[in-house]
Amino acid sequence: MKQSKLLIQTLRETPRDADVVSQQLMMRAGMIQKVAAGIYSYLPLAYRSIRKFEEIVREELAKDGCQELLMPAVLPAELWQESGRWKFYGDELLRFCDRKAKAEVAERRAKGEKPDEREFYNFCLGPTHEEVITDIVRRNVRSYKQLPMNLFQIQTKFRDERRPRFGLMRGREFTMKDAYSFHVDDACADREYWAMFNAYKRIFSRLGVKFRPVEADSGAIGGSFTHEFHVLAGSGEDAILSCDACDYTSNIEKTEAPALPAGDHGAAFELKRDHFCTPGIVGQVEQVAAMKDAEHDGMPIAQTSKFFLYRATFADGTTKLVGAVLRGDHEINPVKVKNHVGAAEMELMPLDEAEAFTGAKTGFMGPVGLKDVAILVDRSLEGAVNLTCGANRSDYHHFGLSPARDLPGCTFTDLRMAAEHDTCTRCGKGHYQAFRGIEVGQVFKLGLKYSTSMSCTFLDEQGKENPMVMGCYGIGITRTVAAAVEQNYDTDGIIWPWPIAPYQVHIVCLDPASPEVSGVASQVEKDLEGAGFEVLHDDREGLSPGAKFKDADLLGFPLRLTVGAKGLKDGIVELRDRRTKEVVKLKPEAAVAEVSAARDRIMQALETAGGR
Amino acid sequence: MKQSKLLIQTLRETPRDADVVSQQLMMRAGMIQKVAAGIYSYLPLAYRSIRKFEEIVREELAKDGCQELLMPAVLPAELWQESGRWKFYGDELLRFCDRKAKAEVAERRAKGEKPDEREFYNFCLGPTHEEVITDIVRRNVRSYKQLPMNLFQIQTKFRDERRPRFGLMRGREFTMKDAYSFHVDDACADREYWAMFNAYKRIFSRLGVKFRPVEADSGAIGGSFTHEFHVLAGSGEDAILSCDACDYTSNIEKTEAPALPAGDHGAAFELKRDHFCTPGIVGQVEQVAAMKDAEHDGMPIAQTSKFFLYRATFADGTTKLVGAVLRGDHEINPVKVKNHVGAAEMELMPLDEAEAFTGAKTGFMGPVGLKDVAILVDRSLEGAVNLTCGANRSDYHHFGLSPARDLPGCTFTDLRMAAEHDTCTRCGKGHYQAFRGIEVGQVFKLGLKYSTSMSCTFLDEQGKENPMVMGCYGIGITRTVAAAVEQNYDTDGIIWPWPIAPYQVHIVCLDPASPEVSGVASQVEKDLEGAGFEVLHDDREGLSPGAKFKDADLLGFPLRLTVGAKGLKDGIVELRDRRTKEVVKLKPEAAVAEVSAARDRIMQALETAGGR
């Protein structure tokens, strides 16, 4: 492909509204173009990468017998009403009226009514397709003999994000691979779960990026268990902890924190109510730890406690107040609190309400004496004595809290955010290492949620009707390509992993006006393409070598092959590795051999560096 | 692939709401499933065909240097306002509010206002992408050196049809290949037009269907010229005339009709006003021709005339009345009338208005004496004399109309619908043959329409700014697959053309419970797959041979290979050609050789039968 004819416009400056590296570099490299907030066109170079990744996904899923189909993007409200999600899905679900519903609205309007169009919405753009696939399967599958079945599609999705940002990382329109599996029982669904887990490992390994499968919180979606797949990148939104000795890797929201020893705070004394009067402390544990009395000149932070008051809402609409007590130097993990009580939603009690409820300003609330509040205590405080805690009286702290004694009916459990260097709870030997990750895929055991609400059943060997057990498996296709860039770049531009590079070799012809030089460049292009390599040939006239090299670095194909009059005087051209910047001089005739060798080296390095 | 695990449910009965063959057969074969009116899921078998066709399209377009990209499905109103189409595109354009616009509506509502959501619509689902591609090109292309450029995408489109029907043939959501080209001048745009014309011929030839490129009316889209590509099928919505001697093939809307000789109706006499009084005639030419007077006992139909009164609307909003006069036995072609006057829209004058305007009931209107009406006369009446025509007085006809004399200022031109057996106007030798066709593709020279309204310009060699000349080129991907079925079926089911058959070979194992028989079937499956064939293996238990054969015929893969205990006693299996029903007996070990030979025969036959 001749670059002079390629749809591409590189930019020297970083576009103002680009706020992450992948967005900045892909916009500068002329790969994506913004059409509206969170909505992009994928220009030819980016689309080559996207399609390559799609093919990797297809090939690996085919190995596990998954069947590809394509469901519509525009979905009728009825199916979503049947699953119950029409009501519960937030404003990310773009609902609208089709022509028929609009005509009805217009008719009402013509009669002088003032109809609210929202009440007539009868379609939406599909952000996921559980409803449609469940409808397909219940209409086409009757017998246990037809199961298990795994169906997938690669499709354009739409989620009307409140704040679309980060380019392809959190757009409104994006390409996703979504798969859904159907099974006669849990054991079979679990087997498929792990088959997909392994397929995802193959997929991201082939992509050539560093990644981790990560145990994750299954949250309110109602699934039984789940793994996220994260591309590791310093800019990642998610914190991941990974044991340095065993395989345990999890999203910090989910990571088990080890119970720490209670600490020696002396023999337990009684609870001294309102012992410290220290106005002006607003929740800084260091200030709390510095409080003094006749016997104590301050105390270890581990002797202080903190308190959080939540309102949990359950699936049946009821609510409950939940108080969480932690050591002063520990961080609360609200997901653990929410999961412990089994809430559908949970929020910190708004400050004004909390102050009215406890009778104390922020910083002086505590667990002692609260009525109708379920008290949870982090398990690192099991056996702890002589702690301070808020007195539920402004400016005052109690002293001498022994949770097991002073909080009757409290529950000790894991509430805190695990931290780097904590001992691994899984193997008990290693320690957690911290990473940042970009979630690009998820495997999820759905269980019976949709098959029950939508009556997706099969007849078993005894002719008895049972709901199918389901799993679902997603990969953000366009998000993954952006994540690969977030992981692979330097100050000069992108460094594409070979398997999804738009082109593998960038021939830079320094003297395109010279028939001799451009002749050699074109011959090398032909040779490489003949050997199966994908080549972009920068044949543009009127540009300095510097400008061409800058563009080549920005586009970031794995290999650059420079052809210039100067080198050709000595009969040589130069092959440069984008990542290592190593340069090899070679004769033009040796291009295929040298490029093949370089490819083998690069692929070898990718395999070594890949995920596990 | 084992059929027992395939997502498929065949139906014996034709679904009630399926109104064309392709829809009936694809629904019965478990290939598509309706999700809402005009919205379908493509199940695994159909999606295999669709993807095969997509790859054919990609490969052929790549040969012409077209670059693939992907534009969004959800498009902002601004771009459509810029081109002017936001206002003029009908209700097929699905407009809606995104989250932000909805929030604004809700805010107004909260203030007690009764906002009309229509006024806040700020996005739409793209039915075509001229605006987006023009925006991309104007932002990325500056110099004549970067032109020409041809960009395409294969994408899900949405058109909110008033009456979606015919399954995949006229759905609301469908897959389309749309390409757009950009040029420095007309000559270059014309070269690309013919390059795409030839690419389309290659594409539909490779698909293996009988088709015709057809000259078509470019209508109000404003293009300069256009060809449609039609798959020939008896059920086609379009009538096509094709010369049996030369290449001239055109949509009947566009086909030039030869001027026929005026006919000998004697020496011209004067116009006898209100000569015939024949109440009850309502436009039946046979009745008109049967009218008598003292000298005439009826007359040839060719001596009668018919009259049509239209209101034409022009791009600037002005209107004009147009009257068209034809020989009584000829059919009017309203497209020719509209094009002759250069109208943007044209409609028959509503009957009540026409009666008030002419003063006569229907059947008695005529061209004589009308004021402020542009009179067009079909060129077969040039030189005609002594015709009858409506008298613009109820129950009366004039007699003796000589158009050139009695209709001063009238224009003779081609107004009639050409007919089968008419002499070809292009070569003057052959005669028209009639076909029915399904339009599946179109090449279209757009000219400057979008580049002017959206300022898509380039700098020429002199540094002067010029608008780019554009072309656009569409193929309805899913429609083509359905059209291939409309052309290729029999009473038993579909007969897939080899190049897009979901699978090429259907192994039907008659005795799957027998380890020996199923062993042979699986070995043959493995052998054929090893040789690169795509095989579906019907391994389902508990079905009679008849039921399995019925399903195989319905699914319609090109070759069926039957493996049964009975045949294996003699060491043979049977290979059957779905189209010819010819059966070959062979040893299982010879399957690859026989299937290869059959494939060669089938492909040969397709090439011979293909389009031109």
Side-chain angles (χ1 to χ4, degrees):
Chain A
M1 175 81 199
K2 296 286 192 286
Q3 191 165 345
S4 60
K5 296 300 178 204
L6 179 71
L7 176 71
I8 183 176
Q9 169 96 321
T10 57
L11 305 174
R12 290 278 158 268
E13 304 295 323
T14 298
R16 240 179 244 184
D17 54 352
D19 38 24
V20 290
V21 163
S22 59
Q23 186 184 13
Q24 290 164 358
L25 290 178
M26 292 179 85
M27 287 180 85
R28 283 187 52 205
M31 292 186 177
I32 58 174
Q33 184 155 317
K34 196 173 180 173
V35 176
I39 300 179
Y40 289 83
S41 290
Y42 313 128
L43 303 191
L45 288 182
Y47 200 49
R48 290 178 69 95
S49 293
I50 291 167
R51 291 203 6 102
K52 284 185 176 190
F53 184 50
E54 288 177 1
E55 287 310 309
I56 290 174
V57 170
R58 280 197 176 96
E59 286 172 20
E60 293 302 327
L61 293 183
K63 289 180 190 164
D64 284 295
C66 303
Q67 300 175 51
E68 186 169 5
L69 42 62
L70 187 65
M71 293 176 269
V74 173
L75 306 179
E78 289 86 6
L79 282 176
W80 284 69
Q81 283 155 349
E82 204 180 335
S83 74
R85 289 208 296 176
W86 184 258
K87 196 171 153 194
F88 288 110
Y89 211 107
D91 291 337
E92 285 80 25
L93 184 67
L94 196 140
R95 303 167 176 88
F96 55 83
C97 287
D98 79 341
R99 182 173 182 150
K100 211 173 131 194
K102 281 177 183 168
E104 204 184 322
V105 174
E107 206 174 289
R108 301 279 187 104
R109 216 177 286 279
K111 286 187 195 157
E113 297 175 34
K114 300 280 183 195
D116 184 343
E117 190 163 325
R118 283 178 296 185
E119 291 162 20
F120 295 81
Y121 289 162
N122 60 344
F123 279 90
C124 65
L125 288 179
T128 67
H129 280 68
E130 283 84 356
E131 283 81 359
V132 186
I133 197 76
T134 304
D135 181 53
I136 288 173
V137 170
R138 71 179 169 183
R139 286 159 72 179
N140 288 284
V141 177
R142 289 306 299 141
S143 161
Y144 72 95
K145 288 184 196 166
Q146 294 168 274
L147 299 175
M149 193 174 270
N150 191 326
L151 302 161
F152 78 100
Q153 62 176 353
I154 294 178
Q155 194 199 34
T156 298
K157 303 274 197 250
F158 196 89
R159 284 185 199 165
D160 207 357
E161 296 275 352
R162 193 169 58 88
R163 280 189 58 211
R165 59 209 149 118
F166 305 156
L168 303 194
M169 305 273 285
R170 180 155 306 171
R172 294 199 282 177
E173 183 168 327
F174 54 96
T175 305
M176 189 170 155
K177 185 283 294 179
D178 46 330
Y180 307 89
S181 70
F182 297 83
H183 308 271
V184 294
D185 58 24
D186 269 308
C188 182
D190 292 352
R191 278 195 299 277
E192 187 70 15
Y193 182 95
W194 292 111
M196 287 297 104
F197 181 90
N198 287 319
Y200 277 32
K201 281 174 60 168
R202 296 197 306 269
I203 286 167
F204 292 109
S205 295
R206 277 187 61 184
L207 174 63
V209 295
K210 290 183 270 296
F211 72 95
R212 288 283 188 291
V214 168
E215 292 184 20
D217 177 54
S218 60
I221 320 182
S224 315
F225 53 92
T226 180
H227 279 85
E228 296 167 352
F229 281 74
H230 284 256
V231 168
L232 301 184
S235 61
E237 278 191 287
D238 284 282
I240 294 166
L241 293 177
S242 185
C243 176
D244 57 14
C246 75
D247 266 353
Y248 184 42
T249 302
S250 57
N251 194 309
I252 198 165
E253 286 189 340
K254 167 94 173 176
T255 312
E256 274 179 59
L260 299 181
D264 180 10
H265 312 315
F269 47 80
E270 83 284 13
L271 181 68
K272 303 176 183 172
R273 290 175 185 265
D274 305 337
H275 183 75
F276 295 111
C277 177
T278 45
I281 289 182
V282 282
Q284 301 295 323
V285 285
E286 293 75 11
Q287 296 175 304
V288 176
M291 295 187 301
K292 300 176 190 186
D293 65 7
E295 295 149 48
H296 300 81
D297 184 9
M299 65 194 81
I301 293 184
Q303 203 174 343
T304 68
S305 75
K306 15 164 107 152
F307 181 67
F308 300 87
L309 192 52
Y310 295 99
R311 177 178 287 120
T313 307
F314 297 86
D316 62 3
T318 59
T319 63
K320 182 171 167 183
L321 295 181
V322 181
V325 183
L326 271 88
R327 217 167 83 175
D329 55 343
H330 286 164
E331 202 182 330
I332 182 79
N333 183 336
V335 173
K336 290 180 177 176
V337 179
K338 182 176 157 212
N339 288 346
H340 183 86
V341 298
E345 296 290 334
M346 199 185 73
E347 50 159 16
L348 265 182
M349 197 184 222
L351 192 56
D352 51 345
E353 286 183 49
E355 290 182 348
F357 181 78
T358 61
K361 282 187 299 188
T362 185
F364 302 97
M365 299 175 195
V368 178
L370 291 180
K371 289 212 172 122
D372 300 322
V373 178
I375 299 293
L376 305 181
V377 183
D378 181 63
R379 64 186 183 184
S380 290
L381 291 179
E382 196 161 8
V385 298
N386 301 344
L387 306 173
T388 66
C389 69
N392 289 329
R393 177 181 170 194
S394 292
D395 303 341
Y396 286 89
H397 276 80
H398 296 327
F399 191 29
L401 175 73
S402 295
R405 179 192 68 195
D406 301 323
L407 303 172
C410 76
T411 307
F412 292 95
T413 185
D414 177 20
L415 297 182
R416 73 176 174 100
M417 202 70 89
E420 187 160 31
H421 310 311
D422 273 350
T423 303
C424 173
T425 59
R426 195 65 57 94
C427 69
K429 283 180 244 157
H431 295 85
Y432 295 145
Q433 281 186 292
F435 296 92
R436 309 270 337 153
I438 300 166
E439 188 199 336
V440 291
Q442 190 168 25
V443 291
F444 202 98
K445 191 177 164 195
L446 275 171
L448 301 176
K449 182 177 161 68
Y450 292 92
S451 46
T452 304
S453 63
M454 295 183 67
S455 305
C456 181
T457 61
F458 68 98
L459 298 177
D460 64 17
E461 284 188 70
Q462 284 73 44
K464 199 174 143 265
E465 200 160 349
N466 291 297
M468 299 183 199
V469 181
M470 288 174 60
C472 71
Y473 318 92
I475 290 179
I477 299 285
T478 38
R479 187 168 223 253
T480 300
V481 171
V485 174
E486 290 286 334
Q487 185 184 85
N488 297 282
Y489 70 96
D490 62 17
T491 49
D492 297 324
I494 301 170
I495 305 172
W496 283 105
W498 184 281
I500 57 163
Y503 290 90
Q504 296 146 356
V505 184
H506 203 161
I507 295 179
V508 175
C509 178
L510 298 182
D511 306 283
S514 146
E516 195 211 330
V517 179
S518 75
V520 172
S522 292
Q523 185 57 48
V524 172
E525 178 188 4
K526 218 173 136 191
D527 293 347
L528 288 171
E529 286 183 345
F533 293 101
E534 295 163 343
V535 183
L536 185 68
H537 175 173
D538 185 354
D539 62 335
R540 294 173 301 165
E541 297 190 9
L543 287 175
S544 71
K548 290 195 163 203
F549 291 148
K550 258 193 154 36
D551 273 355
D553 279 350
L554 178 58
L555 298 190
F557 307 152
L559 295 171
R560 187 183 84 198
L561 205 150
T562 306
V563 182
K566 208 172 143 198
L568 285 182
K569 267 190 201 154
D570 305 324
I572 59 144
V573 297
E574 287 187 357
L575 185 66
R576 179 170 177 271
D577 182 308
R578 174 67 183 86
R579 194 183 292 271
T580 64
K581 301 183 181 174
E582 283 166 6
V583 175
V584 182
K585 299 189 178 193
L586 57 142
K587 290 186 180 161
E589 311 86 73
V592 169
E594 284 292 340
V595 165
S596 301
R599 180 213 32 221
D600 295 346
R601 262 198 322 273
I602 290 171
M603 291 300 286
Q604 185 68 43
L606 283 183
E607 271 167 44
T608 320
R612 52 173 185 175
Chain B
M1 175 80 197
K2 297 284 189 290
Q3 192 166 344
S4 60
K5 296 299 180 206
L6 179 70
L7 176 70
I8 184 176
Q9 169 97 320
T10 57
L11 305 174
R12 290 281 157 265
E13 305 295 324
T14 298
R16 239 179 245 184
D17 53 350
D19 39 24
V20 290
V21 163
S22 59
Q23 187 184 13
Q24 290 163 358
L25 291 177
M26 293 179 84
M27 287 179 86
R28 283 187 52 206
M31 291 184 177
I32 58 174
Q33 184 155 315
K34 197 173 180 172
V35 177
I39 300 179
Y40 289 84
S41 290
Y42 313 128
L43 303 191
L45 289 181
Y47 200 49
R48 289 178 70 94
S49 293
I50 291 168
R51 294 207 0 106
K52 284 185 175 188
F53 184 50
E54 288 178 2
E55 286 311 309
I56 291 174
V57 170
R58 280 198 175 97
E59 285 172 21
E60 293 303 326
L61 293 182
K63 289 179 189 164
D64 283 296
C66 302
Q67 301 175 51
E68 185 170 6
L69 43 62
L70 186 66
M71 293 178 269
V74 173
L75 305 178
E78 288 86 7
L79 282 176
W80 284 67
Q81 282 156 350
E82 202 179 337
S83 74
R85 289 209 297 175
W86 184 257
K87 196 171 151 196
F88 288 109
Y89 211 106
D91 291 337
E92 285 80 26
L93 184 66
L94 195 140
R95 302 166 176 89
F96 55 83
C97 287
D98 79 340
R99 183 175 181 147
K100 211 173 134 194
K102 282 178 183 168
E104 205 184 320
V105 174
E107 205 174 289
R108 301 280 186 103
R109 216 177 285 279
K111 284 185 195 158
E113 296 176 33
K114 302 278 185 194
D116 184 344
E117 190 163 323
R118 285 178 295 186
E119 290 162 21
F120 294 82
Y121 288 163
N122 59 345
F123 280 90
C124 65
L125 288 180
T128 66
H129 280 68
E130 283 84 356
E131 284 81 358
V132 186
I133 198 75
T134 305
D135 181 53
I136 289 173
V137 170
R138 72 179 170 184
R139 286 159 72 177
N140 287 284
V141 177
R142 289 305 300 139
S143 160
Y144 71 96
K145 288 185 199 166
Q146 295 167 273
L147 298 175
M149 192 174 273
N150 190 328
L151 302 162
F152 79 100
Q153 61 177 352
I154 294 179
Q155 195 199 33
T156 299
K157 303 275 198 247
F158 196 89
R159 283 185 200 165
D160 208 356
E161 296 276 352
R162 194 168 56 88
R163 278 190 57 212
R165 58 207 151 120
F166 306 155
L168 303 193
M169 305 272 286
R170 182 155 304 170
R172 294 200 282 179
E173 183 167 329
F174 54 94
T175 306
M176 189 172 157
K177 185 284 292 180
D178 46 329
Y180 307 89
S181 71
F182 297 83
H183 308 273
V184 296
D185 59 23
D186 270 308
C188 182
D190 293 352
R191 278 194 300 277
E192 187 69 14
Y193 181 96
W194 291 111
M196 287 297 104
F197 181 90
N198 287 319
Y200 276 33
K201 282 175 59 168
R202 296 196 305 270
I203 286 167
F204 292 109
S205 296
R206 278 188 59 185
L207 175 63
V209 295
K210 290 183 270 299
F211 72 96
R212 288 284 188 288
V214 168
E215 291 184 20
D217 177 55
S218 60
I221 322 183
S224 315
F225 52 93
T226 180
H227 279 84
E228 296 166 351
F229 282 73
H230 285 255
V231 168
L232 302 184
S235 61
E237 278 192 287
D238 285 282
I240 295 166
L241 293 176
S242 185
C243 176
D244 58 12
C246 78
D247 266 353
Y248 184 43
T249 303
S250 56
N251 193 310
I252 198 165
E253 287 190 341
K254 166 93 172 176
T255 313
E256 274 178 58
L260 300 180
D264 180 9
H265 312 314
F269 46 81
E270 85 284 12
L271 182 68
K272 302 175 185 173
R273 290 176 187 264
D274 305 338
H275 183 74
F276 295 111
C277 175
T278 46
I281 290 184
V282 284
Q284 301 294 324
V285 285
E286 293 76 10
Q287 296 177 304
V288 176
M291 295 187 302
K292 303 174 189 187
D293 65 6
E295 295 150 48
H296 300 81
D297 184 10
M299 63 195 84
I301 292 183
Q303 202 174 341
T304 68
S305 76
K306 12 164 105 152
F307 181 65
F308 300 87
L309 192 53
Y310 294 99
R311 177 178 288 121
T313 307
F314 297 86
D316 62 3
T318 59
T319 64
K320 183 172 170 182
L321 296 182
V322 181
V325 183
L326 271 87
R327 216 168 83 175
D329 55 343
H330 286 164
E331 203 182 329
I332 182 79
N333 183 336
V335 173
K336 290 181 178 174
V337 179
K338 183 177 158 209
N339 288 345
H340 182 86
V341 298
E345 297 290 334
M346 197 184 74
E347 50 159 16
L348 266 181
M349 198 183 222
L351 191 57
D352 51 344
E353 287 184 47
E355 289 183 348
F357 181 77
T358 60
K361 283 188 297 185
T362 185
F364 303 96
M365 299 177 193
V368 178
L370 291 180
K371 289 212 169 122
D372 301 324
V373 178
I375 299 291
L376 307 180
V377 183
D378 181 62
R379 62 186 184 185
S380 290
L381 291 179
E382 196 159 9
V385 298
N386 300 346
L387 307 173
T388 67
C389 68
N392 288 330
R393 179 180 170 197
S394 291
D395 305 338
Y396 287 89
H397 277 81
H398 296 326
F399 191 27
L401 176 72
S402 295
R405 178 192 69 196
D406 302 323
L407 302 172
C410 77
T411 308
F412 292 95
T413 183
D414 177 20
L415 297 182
R416 73 175 173 102
M417 204 69 88
E420 188 159 30
H421 311 309
D422 273 351
T423 303
C424 172
T425 59
R426 196 66 56 94
C427 69
K429 283 178 245 157
H431 296 84
Y432 295 146
Q433 282 186 290
F435 298 93
R436 309 279 322 164
I438 299 166
E439 187 200 336
V440 291
Q442 189 168 25
V443 293
F444 202 99
K445 190 175 164 196
L446 275 171
L448 300 175
K449 182 178 162 66
Y450 293 93
S451 47
T452 305
S453 63
M454 296 183 65
S455 306
C456 181
T457 61
F458 68 97
L459 298 176
D460 66 16
E461 285 188 68
Q462 285 74 43
K464 201 174 142 264
E465 201 159 349
N466 290 297
M468 299 182 199
V469 182
M470 287 173 61
C472 70
Y473 318 92
I475 291 180
I477 299 285
T478 39
R479 187 168 223 255
T480 301
V481 171
V485 174
E486 291 286 335
Q487 184 183 87
N488 296 281
Y489 70 96
D490 62 17
T491 49
D492 297 325
I494 303 171
I495 305 172
W496 283 106
W498 184 282
I500 57 162
Y503 290 90
Q504 296 145 356
V505 184
H506 202 162
I507 296 180
V508 175
C509 178
L510 297 183
D511 306 283
S514 146
E516 194 210 331
V517 179
S518 74
V520 171
S522 293
Q523 184 59 48
V524 172
E525 178 187 2
K526 215 174 137 188
D527 292 348
L528 288 171
E529 285 183 346
F533 292 102
E534 295 162 344
V535 182
L536 185 67
H537 175 174
D538 185 354
D539 62 334
R540 294 174 301 165
E541 296 190 12
L543 288 174
S544 70
K548 289 196 163 199
F549 290 149
K550 258 191 153 38
D551 273 355
D553 278 350
L554 178 59
L555 298 189
F557 307 152
L559 295 172
R560 186 184 84 197
L561 205 150
T562 306
V563 182
K566 209 174 142 198
L568 285 182
K569 267 188 201 156
D570 306 324
I572 59 143
V573 297
E574 288 188 358
L575 185 66
R576 180 171 178 269
D577 183 306
R578 173 67 184 85
R579 193 182 293 270
T580 65
K581 303 187 179 171
E582 283 166 6
V583 175
V584 181
K585 297 189 178 193
L586 57 142
K587 290 186 181 161
E589 311 84 74
V592 169
E594 284 293 339
V595 165
S596 302
R599 178 209 38 216
D600 294 347
R601 264 197 321 274
I602 290 172
M603 292 299 286
Q604 186 68 42
L606 284 182
E607 269 167 46
T608 319
R612 50 173 186 174

